[in-house]
Amino acid sequence: MKSKITTAVIAGLALVSVMESCKPKSTGNAVSGDAAGKAYVAPGKHDEYYNFVSGGFSGQMSVYGLPSGRLLRVIPVFAVDPEKGWGYSEETKPMLNTSHGIVPWDDLHHTQLSKTEGEIDGRWVFGNANNTPRVARIDLKTFRTAEIIELPNSAGNHSSPFITENTEYVVAGTRFSVPSDNANGDVPISTYKENFKGYLSFISVNKESGEMDIAFQIECPGVNFDLSRAGKMKSHGWFFFSCYNTEQANTLLEVNASQRDKDFIMAVNWKKAEEYIKAGKGKKTPVKYAHNVYSDENHSATSTIKTEVLVLDSKELADICYMMPCPKSPHGCDVDPTGEYIVGSGKLAALIPVFSFDKMIKAIANKEYDGDYLGIPIIKYESALYGEVKKPGLGPLHTEFDGKGNAYTSFFVSSEVVKWNIKELKVVDRVPTYYSVGHLCIPGGDSRTPSAKYLIAYNKITKDRYLPTGPELSQSAQLYDISGEKMQMILDFPTIGEPHYAQASPAAIIEKNQLKLFKIDENKHPYAAKGEGEAKVVRNGNQVHVYMTSVRSHFAPDNIEGIKVGDEVYFHVTNLEQDWDVPHGFAVKGASNAELLIMPGETQTLKWVPDRVGIVPIYCTDFCSALHQEMQGYVRVSPAGSKVPLTYHVGKTAAEIPASN
């Protein structure tokens, strides 16, 4: 073991040396000439593209305009967000429920836009929770999280969410193989090879509503799944996953998971899996997972705990999974627009292997195997290989396509993006990034017809790019013009969280379906007050329900008395506005949660338990009019057991209010 560790240290020092030597020169002059004009969007003009970027450890998703780099919105997904009341209002708390209870944080790594016939359709964008395995669906009519489903039998949902050509499935692979949920997990970690399994989850998506359900899972050997892509066109019906730690190491993976010369790309025939399910080959397995759905009709979320999942065993059904050898520790696994070429990216390799779908199918038909990996056939490397891009750079990670026969691969170690011709396997251009690039994004880059205009690089390190901000610096995105033969950097902008992966769509596709307000007459929230005349306060034991309305620029009621210490007070606030972009906020002094942010026509609820006697202000937190500052009120809190009657009003003078103790 000592020799292994020493080897790893020497290799690490060499890597640092290479990174320093590969650091691009003249960083201050990276954006020059006509570049600024290409990224300029005049005040009042709209961007051409929406860019949906993972928020990494923030647990959220961010939306930028391209080419300007303007931050348009942060969409709360897996983490609480006080700006929007996400996870704080009674209506949204259930969205963060899991089999472990409420989990108010996660690590969102990847985004994926829904597609129809292989093209972006502008309906939904999906995101993954890496820590507590979940997949979310964001409705692009509202730019809100509409659904979150937890994944059983999984740990570390990094390999997710990836979708099929018609959004039949969102697919996820486990990062950390672990014993299955219904097995005895109290086993020695050293029994990894005997007891740990890796699962692939196939989540079906309703074509009309978008509602998700776990259709089935495939139990696989205990490896780590990284990135994935669905086949398209000729390869529709297949999925391709990069796999590492085929050594099945359980300690010091930086050494012990890099022993083999090659790991694998796993090819999964999901159409064949569907056939086996219809034939009754799936096994119903007891599990426990949460399925959370938000309704725009009653403006509330419901959380359901489910207890069963259908599982197929990859060892028993030997023709649904196949292994293709790939240079060790692969990260990216990408499929070109034609569906013929599958690009693997071994992080420790100095080449890029390109596999042929047609050759893979022929090899399977002819059983050109090199043994098996724990029951899964291994296709001979040469039998599936189209060819290799030789010496393209150091540390290949991820590849996008421009639809013109070119591929673009990010290189983490040499901090660059390399453009290469797919059929000729020749490098045609390279540009530096600043620094240590991870993922790339071309609008529609994983679709049948990418928009070959821009490429965005998402970088892990910025160093000297921006004003310093203490020990931690912002991550960044850099925009390149790829419309010509040569790539040109035209913009450099910071991002929230850690930008792992992103996808971009033409704005016109998404704008046409957007919702501007909720119709007040269609509000089905059980505590909605659809007009000021319906505002009231009702006591039921120690629970007090305030049916409150908000409109520019007051609440009704805005004076409440008779609340007692220890009461559970529910402020159900309905925004009566019927005009676009007129939200109202609501906050209570000393409340142990965040504000509410209520859209026009919507109802949201803040729960408050007063802990002391006194006068408590309430107020609007979101600027709504010239008299926003005047939009306030008071709640009188009396001691527990007090005889002060419950009263409420809006607009009455002191003379009009009955005296109370």
Side-chain angles (χ1 to χ4, degrees), residues 18 32 40 126 153 160 165 199 202 346 356 392 444 493 520 579 584 649 657:
V18 168
S32 59
Y40 179 70
F126 300 88
N153 294 320
S160 156
E165 277 201 309
Y199 280 79
F202 283 74
S356 162
F493 59 97
I520 192 72
D579 195 7
H584 287 295
H649 68 83
I657 302 171

Side-chain angles (χ1 to χ4, degrees), residues 80 85-98 101-104 134 148 292 294 300-303 570 592-594 604-608:
V80 294
W86 181 257
Y88 291 101
S89 72
E90 295 305 296
E91 288 80 4
T92 59
K93 285 178 181 177
M95 293 299 287
L96 301 180
N97 192 40
T98 73
I102 296 290
V103 177
R134 289 170 281 179
I148 295 176
N292 312 325
Y294 190 87
S300 299
T302 56
S303 179
Y570 295 87
S592 60
N593 52 10
Q604 291 286 286
T605 302
L606 184 146
K607 179 182 177 181
W608 172 56

